[in-house]
Amino acid sequence: MKATDILLPAPMTDAVIAPLKAEGIPLHALWEQPDPERFLAEQGERIRGVATSTLYGRLGAELIEKLPNLEVIASFGVGYDNVDVAAAAARDVMVTNTPGVLDDEVADFTIGLLIATLRQIPQADRFLRDGLWTERAFPLSPTLRGRTIGIVGLGSIGKAIARRLEGFGVDIAYHGRHRQPGVGYPYYPSARELAAACDVLIAILPGGAATRHIIDAGVLKALGPEGVFINVARGSVVDQDALIEALRNRTILVAGLDVYEDEPNVPAALLGLPGVVLLPHIGSASAHTRAAMGRLVADNLIAWFRDGRALTPVPETAHLQG
Ligand code: 8YV
């Protein structure tokens, strides 16, 4: 394998670090540099690869420009809106993500969040711990029974969620950019039409400019007063202020959220809505699945430098495969 140096703009899990070290690949921790700008100016031309995650924030053109010999950016996560892919592609820099290895985990988690939100499982736990059970019964909750579930984004995770929901005996429909051949669930050409036909909306579509605020006040109104909104995608896909308003005004019934517009900052207005289930972006966060994601980040870099081919290139840079 040719000599290669990899930049880590922010800390990465050992599942990424260990395989790269085992290959003898030199790693440079940018956040440990006393003067990161000076490091980039003096050493930037040695860097051939970057391993990054949402922890670093957005990896944009400014950093890419400082790395004149950069060939590959391996991002930790299936969503890669944290990487400026257009800037990378313009420089013929390969970008990889971690699809596949987290589908089942995130789908399992989504079902858990949906049931927890409807049946108020976190609230019931708090009720018991607060000693209230000895005084009265926990109030009756809403239900999943008889509901129609709309999935916004029927990619591989969306399909894994749908497969699980089939076992729950509920109706399923979807919205995405296109109607998918061979998919039997009813298709709606807009999020608003899907919301009007459903009483649960699950967002599991990519983030980024193209899908920003695709769930807006109109979609929430169409979902209706019994409506449940579950977001396991990106905070950017929903107009967070409109969502807070819809929850406050009972335009919709309740929400279960794992993602937010400005993570890790969650607005006080959401924290003040006790019926809403709020989780700290943990959809893929089991030790098992995070290890698999980390390994895939490392394997993409190793494969790129060894064979000139990445294992899981993002579609926008797939043409750069050797
Ligand atoms: C991770 C995710 O939390 O895969 C994604 O797109 O959002 C999650 O699995 C995230 O990538 C961690 O950096």
Side-chain angles (χ1 to χ4, degrees):
M1 187 159 61
K2 66 182 170 182
T4 146
D5 285 54
I6 288 177
L7 181 72
L8 307 173
M12 298 290 283
T13 160
D14 200 48
V16 177
I17 306 294
L20 295 174
K21 278 193 174 157
E23 291 285 329
I25 293 176
L27 302 177
H28 303 274
L30 188 60
W31 79 95
E32 281 177 354
Q33 299 298 328
D35 185 345
E37 283 309 316
R38 186 166 170 192
F39 172 84
L40 290 170
E42 289 175 357
Q43 308 283 341
E45 62 183 24
R46 285 171 55 181
I47 302 297
R48 300 293 171 103
V50 173
T52 193
S53 77
T54 50
L55 269 186
Y56 175 61
R58 190 161 165 80
L59 196 160
E62 327 74 65
L63 181 60
I64 293 171
E65 272 166 22
K66 290 172 188 155
L67 307 173
N69 295 312
L70 184 63
E71 295 176 22
V72 57
I73 298 169
S75 185
F76 181 91
V78 64
Y80 51 94
D81 47 324
N82 56 314
V83 178
D84 186 340
V85 178
R91 273 268 317 274
D92 286 346
V93 170
M94 169 62 82
V95 179
T96 68
N97 63 342
T98 62
V101 293
L102 46 66
D103 295 357
D104 286 328
E105 193 74 75
V106 176
D108 292 349
F109 171 84
T110 306
I111 301 295
L113 177 55
L114 173 62
I115 307 271
T117 302
L118 276 163
R119 298 300 318 281
Q120 303 176 339
I121 291 173
Q123 294 88 339
D125 176 281
R126 288 199 289 271
F127 175 89
L128 182 150
R129 287 172 200 272
D130 290 348
L132 297 173
W133 194 17
T134 52
E135 293 172 20
R136 58 179 187 272
F138 186 70
L140 301 182
S141 73
T143 183
L144 181 65
R145 298 298 91 219
R147 285 184 178 267
T148 298
I149 319 290
I151 300 177
V152 186
L154 201 68
S156 54
I157 303 177
K159 289 193 176 97
I161 294 169
R163 279 197 302 277
R164 283 159 175 74
L165 284 172
E166 284 181 12
F168 285 78
V170 291
D171 291 330
I172 300 164
Y174 75 105
H175 162 67
R177 276 166 301 174
H178 315 288
R179 183 193 300 274
Q180 297 190 33
V183 170
Y185 312 126
Y187 171 76
Y188 291 87
S190 71
R192 192 178 297 208
E193 286 159 281
L194 177 67
C198 296
D199 45 19
V200 173
L201 211 56
I202 299 178
I204 182 62
L205 69 166
T211 59
R212 189 177 138 75
H213 290 191
I214 197 170
I215 314 285
D216 60 10
V219 173
L220 296 167
K221 187 154 189 283
L223 191 57
E226 287 302 309
V228 178
F229 175 60
I230 302 293
N231 193 356
V232 286
R234 284 289 180 269
S236 61
V237 305
V238 61
D239 177 343
Q240 196 164 268
D241 293 336
L243 175 63
I244 291 167
E245 213 41 42
L247 289 162
R248 273 191 180 145
N249 298 338
R250 298 296 300 265
T251 304
I252 66 168
L253 182 65
V254 74
L257 308 175
D258 188 43
V259 289
Y260 308 88
E261 276 197 326
D262 177 29
E263 295 176 8
N265 303 307
V266 179
L270 273 178
L271 299 175
L273 294 167
V276 178
V277 176
L278 302 172
L279 299 176
H281 199 152
I282 54 167
S284 68
S286 70
H288 166 90
T289 293
R290 285 292 172 84
M293 292 164 66
R295 180 77 222 198
L296 186 51
V297 170
D299 285 347
N300 263 301
L301 292 163
I302 293 165
W304 177 261
F305 289 118
R306 182 186 287 153
D307 312 322
R309 289 185 70 77
L311 301 179
T312 50
V314 304
E316 296 90 329
T317 60
H319 62 281
L320 298 171
Q321 288 283 49

